[in-house]
């Protein structure tokens, strides 16, 4: 039994192979049947010729329903006309199970229905393509940091206090009357590991309890966060543009087929290369106000606020590559940001807005390294000082300039796939109204 997976059939042209999988789809024309067989690695079209197979094989195929599990034996033939370039001349089939009527059929379904059946929806070509791009993004992320001198540091998921603001935390009971919060970011711990190891990154699930329903929000998402000792804001921006370019290149190199399945216009991605435009917040505000005056943006943006989704979309659609907006007002950013020495009302931070209107994919910057300033910020943000004593220690024992950023894997995947909504970029999305399946 020459077992293979569909991805590798090209190595078996002219040979008889066994494929274990499911029936994706089938059409028939009396004496011929064309079952589409999928096995998770790909889809291949089978050809069953009534005249050439035993009666039982023909009648088994006639009984098969969508998603029936089957083990198929056949000869691999190269055929340019076949989808995928190869066909399987079926010799025999073993039926593992005739599936009950599959809820998801090739016709159109509403998105809520598909989300309720996410565990089954994952079997579609589109989901296969999107989640393969996601896996490629993750592989690229690890390769980039592992081969550029960064050490992986896993930071905790149970944390005693907020990192990104107190209103967006998931609280859990943590033994005798103590409370813990699911992490929003590994950054604060990363700052400690950066002092110990120089260049580090953490990568894991993060949690945000904002009651946001936008197409960019998940309550649970995966974030990768590099942190670099002695890096200043410009170094953080250099790193961000090299990093994003590397990921885009990798996906273009290895996932063309998937991008084609998604009908992604890759010419837009091909253009992505350093340097990315760097736009100071002040200038971004001017652009938004001009857009409003020209009638291109409904609401007039006032200096001092944080950008909303329509603002980010407008800004990022003005450039053919990701744009790095830096130096937002300190007041709208997290407590740990370093103030600009020349204009302390601005933070030394950067948001990278993906191209084609996709909005923020990266947020980061340089960290405040002055003990007095940080203490003031912790009080101003109403954070419990006792939870941060260890963090403040980093400013007592060899404080150092440092910075880094966080990138959401699903935001990045949404952009690279060119799709509408973030919910399809993680196998089982967690959102405001979705905890199942
Ligand atoms: O901008 P954020 O909140 O930054 C931080 O958490 C920093 N502590 C990171 C750092 O400097 N080490 O989040 C970083 C990125 C965003 O740019 C976005 O890609 C993603 O995380 N992100 C989300 N992705 C999906 N759903 C959400 N609710 C997200 N919130 C942030
Ligand atoms: Mg942000």
């Amino acid at each position: 039994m020459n077992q293979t997976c569909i991805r590798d059939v090209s190595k078996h042209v002219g040979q008889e192979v066994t494929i274990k999988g499911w029936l994706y789809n089938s059409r028939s024309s009396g004496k011929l049947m064309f079952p589409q067989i999928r096995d998770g690695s790909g889809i291949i079209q089978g050809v069953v010729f009534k005249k050439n197979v035993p009666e039982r094989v023909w009648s088994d195929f006639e009984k098969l329903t969508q998603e029936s599990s089957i083990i198929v034996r056949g000869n691999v033939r190269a055929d340019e006309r076949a989808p995928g370039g190869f066909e399987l001349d079926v010799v025999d089939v073993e039926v593992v199970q005739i599936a009950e009527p599959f809820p998801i059929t090739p016709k159109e379904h509403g998105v809520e229905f598909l989300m309720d059946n996410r565990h089954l929806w994952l079997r579609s070509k589109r989901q296969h393509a999107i989640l393969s791009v996601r896996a490629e993004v993750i592989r690229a992320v690890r390769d980039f940091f592992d081969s550029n001198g960064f050490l992986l540091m896993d930071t905790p998921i149970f944390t005693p206090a907020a990192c990104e603001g107190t209103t967006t935390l998931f609280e859990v009971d943590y033994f005798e009357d103590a409370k813990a919060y699911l992490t929003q970011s590994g950054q604060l711990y990363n700052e400690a590991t950066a002092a110990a190891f120089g260049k580090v990154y953490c990568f894991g699930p993060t949690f945000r309890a904002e009651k946001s329903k936008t197409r960019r929000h998940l309550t649970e998402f995966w974030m990768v966060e590099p942190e670099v000792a002695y890096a200043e804001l410009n170094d953080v921006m250099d790193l961000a543009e090299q990093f994003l370019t590397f990921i885009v290149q990798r996906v273009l190199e290895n996932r063309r087929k998937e991008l084609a399945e998604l009908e992604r216009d890759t010419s837009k991605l091909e253009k992505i290369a350093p340097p990315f435009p760097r736009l100071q917040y002040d200038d971004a505000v001017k652009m938004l106000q001009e857009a409003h005056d020209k009638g291109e943006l409904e609401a007039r943006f006032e200096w001092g606020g944080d950008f909303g989704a329509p603002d980010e979309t407008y800004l990022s659609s003005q450039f053919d590559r990701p744009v790095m907006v830096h130096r937002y007002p300190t007041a709208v950013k997290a407590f740990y940001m370093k103030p600009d020495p020349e204009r302390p009302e601005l933070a030394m931070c950067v948001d990278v807005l993906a191209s084609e209107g996709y909005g923020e994919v990266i947020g980061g910057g340089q960290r405040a390294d002055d003990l007095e300033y940080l203490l003031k910020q912790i009080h101003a943000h109403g954070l419990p000082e006792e939870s941060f004593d260890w963090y403040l220690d980093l400013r007592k024992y060899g404080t150092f300039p440092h910075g880094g950023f966080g990138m959401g894997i699903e935001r990045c995947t949404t952009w690279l796939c060119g799709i509408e909504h973030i919910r399809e970029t993680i196998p089982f999305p967690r959102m405001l109204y979705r905890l199942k399946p």
Side-chain angles (χ1 to χ4, degrees):
M1 191 170 89
N2 191 9
Q3 199 195 317
T4 187
C5 63
I6 295 168
R7 183 192 299 117
D8 294 337
V9 288
S10 63
K11 298 177 196 151
H12 298 276
V13 175
Q15 297 171 13
E16 187 177 288
V17 297
T18 299
I19 287 170
K20 301 182 172 181
W22 295 263
L23 184 76
Y24 192 62
N25 209 334
S26 188
R27 62 194 170 84
S28 158
S29 68
K31 297 183 204 103
L32 272 173
M33 236 183 289
F34 300 99
Q36 304 247 323
I37 304 151
R38 61 163 201 92
D39 71 348
S41 79
I43 295 182
I44 190 167
Q45 174 163 296
V47 182
V48 192
F49 196 16
K50 191 170 183 179
K51 242 175 46 192
N52 292 353
V53 293
E55 180 61 36
R56 179 195 50 82
V57 173
W58 180 262
S59 67
D60 276 352
F61 267 104
E62 280 188 315
K63 279 182 236 143
L64 291 185
T65 52
Q66 187 187 344
E67 290 302 320
S68 288
S69 33
I70 47 177
I71 299 173
V72 184
R73 199 150 57 81
N75 292 298
V76 178
R77 199 154 39 79
D79 187 335
E80 277 179 17
R81 292 161 308 169
F86 300 93
E87 269 185 352
L88 193 70
D89 268 326
V90 173
V91 174
D92 196 8
V93 65
E94 181 191 324
V95 179
V96 179
Q97 189 204 32
I98 306 269
E100 292 181 25
F102 196 63
I104 302 173
T105 57
K107 71 167 202 248
E108 287 274 311
H109 294 282
V111 73
E112 281 310 307
F113 176 83
L114 291 169
M115 292 300 289
D116 287 340
N117 287 284
R118 182 67 176 165
H119 53 298
L120 304 177
W121 190 23
L122 290 173
R123 302 181 192 191
S124 80
K125 278 187 196 170
R126 176 181 162 90
Q127 300 312 313
H128 199 275
I130 296 170
L131 293 172
S132 300
V133 171
R134 173 198 172 86
E136 194 67 41
V137 168
I138 293 175
R139 202 149 65 100
V141 160
R142 293 203 181 277
D143 285 351
F144 179 86
F145 288 124
D146 291 343
S147 59
N148 281 293
F150 287 76
L151 204 61
L152 174 69
M153 289 287 133
D154 295 316
T155 51
I157 289 175
F158 286 137
T159 61
C163 172
E164 296 297 320
T166 43
T167 55
T168 60
L169 287 165
F170 284 107
E171 195 181 280
V172 289
D173 291 331
Y174 197 74
F175 306 120
E176 284 92 54
D177 303 330
K179 293 283 176 211
Y181 305 96
L182 300 185
T183 183
Q184 299 165 303
S185 161
Q187 180 198 317
L188 304 187
Y189 295 96
N190 246 354
E191 292 183 47
T193 58
F197 299 94
K199 298 208 293 186
V200 296
Y201 73 102
C202 65
F203 183 29
T206 37
F207 305 87
R208 301 283 168 105
E210 304 145 273
K211 293 202 165 140
S212 172
K213 284 189 287 189
T214 76
R215 59 197 171 87
R216 297 172 180 179
H217 274 84
L218 294 170
T219 50
E220 175 180 326
F221 65 96
W222 284 67
M223 178 154 61
V224 59
E225 299 176 82
E227 190 71 25
V228 182
Y230 288 96
E232 300 183 354
L233 178 61
N234 277 326
D235 305 313
V236 172
M237 292 200 269
D238 291 347
L239 181 66
E241 72 189 3
Q242 285 162 20
F243 171 67
L244 271 188
T245 304
F246 182 85
I247 294 173
V248 172
Q249 291 307 323
R250 264 298 184 78
V251 168
L252 286 173
E253 242 168 72
N254 297 335
R255 296 294 173 183
R256 287 262 170 207
K257 232 178 57 203
E258 286 79 2
L259 295 176
E261 173 67 39
L262 297 167
E263 296 174 8
R264 177 67 163 110
D265 176 1
T266 51
S267 68
K268 304 248 168 72
L269 297 177
E270 318 274 356
K271 291 200 195 101
I272 290 170
F276 295 174
R278 298 180 184 197
L279 184 65
Q280 182 147 349
Y281 172 88
D282 289 352
D283 299 320
V285 171
K286 279 184 208 135
M287 281 178 73
L288 291 173
Q289 291 176 342
E290 280 164 24
H292 172 77
D293 296 342
K294 283 187 281 180
E296 289 170 29
L297 259 183
E298 210 176 305
R300 185 180 161 84
F301 189 87
E302 295 304 335
W303 194 98
D306 203 354
F307 300 137
D311 307 312
E312 283 187 358
T313 301
Y314 177 82
L315 288 172
S316 74
S317 57
Q318 301 308 300
F319 301 91
D320 66 354
R321 47 188 91 186
V323 54
M324 305 205 275
V325 183
H326 57 94
R327 292 181 171 79
Y328 288 65
T330 314
V332 296
K333 288 291 179 183
F335 77 95
Y336 52 71
M337 304 272 186
K338 184 180 175 73
D340 187 339
E342 274 151 41
R343 284 177 62 191
E345 74 279 16
L346 302 183
M348 301 288 277
C349 64
V350 59
D351 276 5
V352 185
L353 312 182
S355 42
E356 299 169 74
Y358 275 90
E360 180 193 338
V361 280
I362 283 182
Q366 194 174 337
R367 322 306 185 187
D369 43 30
D370 179 73
L371 180 63
E372 292 310 312
Y373 178 78
L374 262 180
L375 262 171
K376 245 177 36 206
Q377 283 288 91
I378 285 173
H379 294 148
H381 284 249
L383 296 167
E385 192 187 323
E386 64 281 7
S387 302
F388 290 92
D389 49 3
W390 66 272
Y391 183 69
L392 294 169
D393 274 355
L394 306 174
R395 277 72 184 170
K396 293 180 192 164
Y397 303 108
T399 193
F400 60 125
H402 62 288
F405 60 76
M407 183 188 80
I409 294 296
E410 294 79 12
R411 291 261 182 102
C412 181
T413 306
T414 306
W415 166 50
L416 296 183
C417 289
I419 58 178
E420 264 298 301
H421 201 293
I422 197 167
R423 65 187 156 220
E424 289 177 85
T425 61
I426 185 164
F428 295 97
R430 295 290 167 254
M431 297 180 292
L432 184 50
Y433 297 117
R434 174 134 336 252
L435 191 57
K436 204 184 147 212

